Amino acid sequence: LAKTTQPISMDSYEGQEVNITCSHNNIATNDYITWYQQFPSQGPRFIIQGYKTKVTNEVASLFIPADRKSSTLSLPRVSLSDTAVYYCLVGDIRDKIIFGKGTRLHILP
Amino acid sequence: NAGVMQNPRHLVRRRGQEARLRCSPMKGHSHVYWYRQLPEEGLKFMVYLQKENIIDESGMPKERFSAEFPKEGPSILRIQQVVRGDSAAYFCASSQGPGSDYEQYFGPGTRLTVT
């Protein structure tokens, strides 16, 4: 599984768009990019997954450049309830997920 | 459709006792994964099971830890002779199948405290 690097923490304000970038220089051809969200005292929750270009769902957008060596999770108009840890995961996830420390996003009023 | 259920949510054990953590996957899911999370850390994979089979236990300590997923009933993660270092949150996830096409759904976790 490819190693990922993402910021340890980020602060933002309510109503703003938040972009969290993840580096994965060693991504393999078969690897997907997946983002999970974890609130305190809860299990992680799947947010979005992509392979290339752009993916959008009701929660977020995922931007993946052509070389796929990085990806950016975009959260539009965040609210206080978006305060959580966000994990970027890369791999051909056939049997397990390897989580890093994630990015602690803190939304301020 | 109920989500992944884990019980108990909180478990306190004294050193040397046994801890049994249960996970009921979502209906229709036959793949179960167990993860451990220490405070301020990401989740660490422990074991992956399919009904009655252990597929990958590469993340599970070789001593004191065992896991099963019987044909009937929940998956069980068993920790014998617990030590203080076993204190952590243990999460279980389930999916319909392996591979990146199948999303893993996580349970609320069991918080184990060893005193």
Side-chain angles (χ1 to χ4, degrees):
Chain A
L1 292 171
K3 183 174 159 53
T4 61
T5 302
Q6 52 184 123
I8 293 174
S9 65
M10 292 179 67
D11 289 342
S12 187
Y13 291 93
E14 277 193 292
Q16 293 192 329
E17 178 185 80
V18 171
N19 296 310
I20 306 175
T21 297
C22 178
S23 298
H24 27 80
N25 291 320
N26 296 323
I27 190 168
T29 304
N30 294 331
D31 288 346
Y32 281 78
I33 300 159
T34 310
W35 286 79
Y36 277 79
Q37 174 191 56
Q38 185 179 26
F39 295 114
S41 302
Q42 293 187 27
R45 182 175 73 107
F46 172 93
I47 301 176
I48 198 166
Q49 184 181 72
Y51 183 79
K52 62 180 179 180
T53 63
K54 178 184 174 184
V55 180
T56 297
N57 61 23
E58 64 276 7
V59 176
S61 294
L62 179 60
F63 297 92
I64 305 168
D67 66 6
R68 305 202 323 124
K69 292 184 184 299
S70 66
S71 59
T72 298
L73 175 73
S74 181
L75 305 171
R77 295 184 298 282
V78 293
S79 64
L80 295 175
S81 63
D82 291 315
T83 293
V85 180
Y86 293 81
Y87 296 97
C88 164
L89 301 143
V90 171
D92 182 9
I93 308 170
R94 295 195 180 277
D95 54 359
K96 60 192 177 191
I97 299 176
I98 305 295
F99 286 83
K101 292 189 177 182
T103 296
R104 293 184 174 277
L105 177 64
H106 188 207
I107 305 302
L108 304 165
Chain B
N1 187 9
V4 178
M5 313 275 283
Q6 288 188 251
N7 70 81
R9 293 294 307 277
H10 300 273
L11 182 61
V12 179
R13 284 286 179 268
R14 281 197 281 270
R15 276 178 297 172
Q17 291 185 317
E18 179 180 284
R20 279 186 180 237
L21 288 61
R22 293 175 187 77
C23 169
S24 297
M26 286 181 70
K27 188 175 179 181
H29 288 191
S30 58
H31 298 252
V32 165
Y33 309 77
W34 285 92
Y35 298 83
R36 177 165 62 176
Q37 186 174 35
L38 297 172
E40 308 297 316
E41 297 284 329
L43 282 76
K44 292 199 185 318
F45 167 81
M46 297 182 73
V47 61
Y48 162 40
L49 310 103
Q50 199 176 347
K51 279 287 186 182
E52 301 185 272
N53 292 307
I54 296 175
I55 308 300
D56 182 348
E57 56 182 347
S58 59
M60 198 155 69
K62 293 198 178 349
E63 295 180 356
R64 302 189 298 108
F65 286 73
S66 62
E68 62 177 13
F69 188 17
K71 188 176 179 182
E72 300 292 335
S75 175
I76 307 282
L77 178 68
R78 184 178 173 213
I79 311 172
Q80 295 178 290
Q81 299 173 327
V82 296
V83 301
R84 288 235 173 95
D86 296 332
S87 294
Y90 291 83
F91 292 95
C92 141
S94 74
S95 67
Q96 286 182 298
S100 54
D101 287 340
Y102 296 94
E103 179 186 337
Q104 289 189 24
Y105 293 83
F106 283 81
T110 293
R111 273 147 192 84
L112 173 65
T113 302
V114 179
T115 61

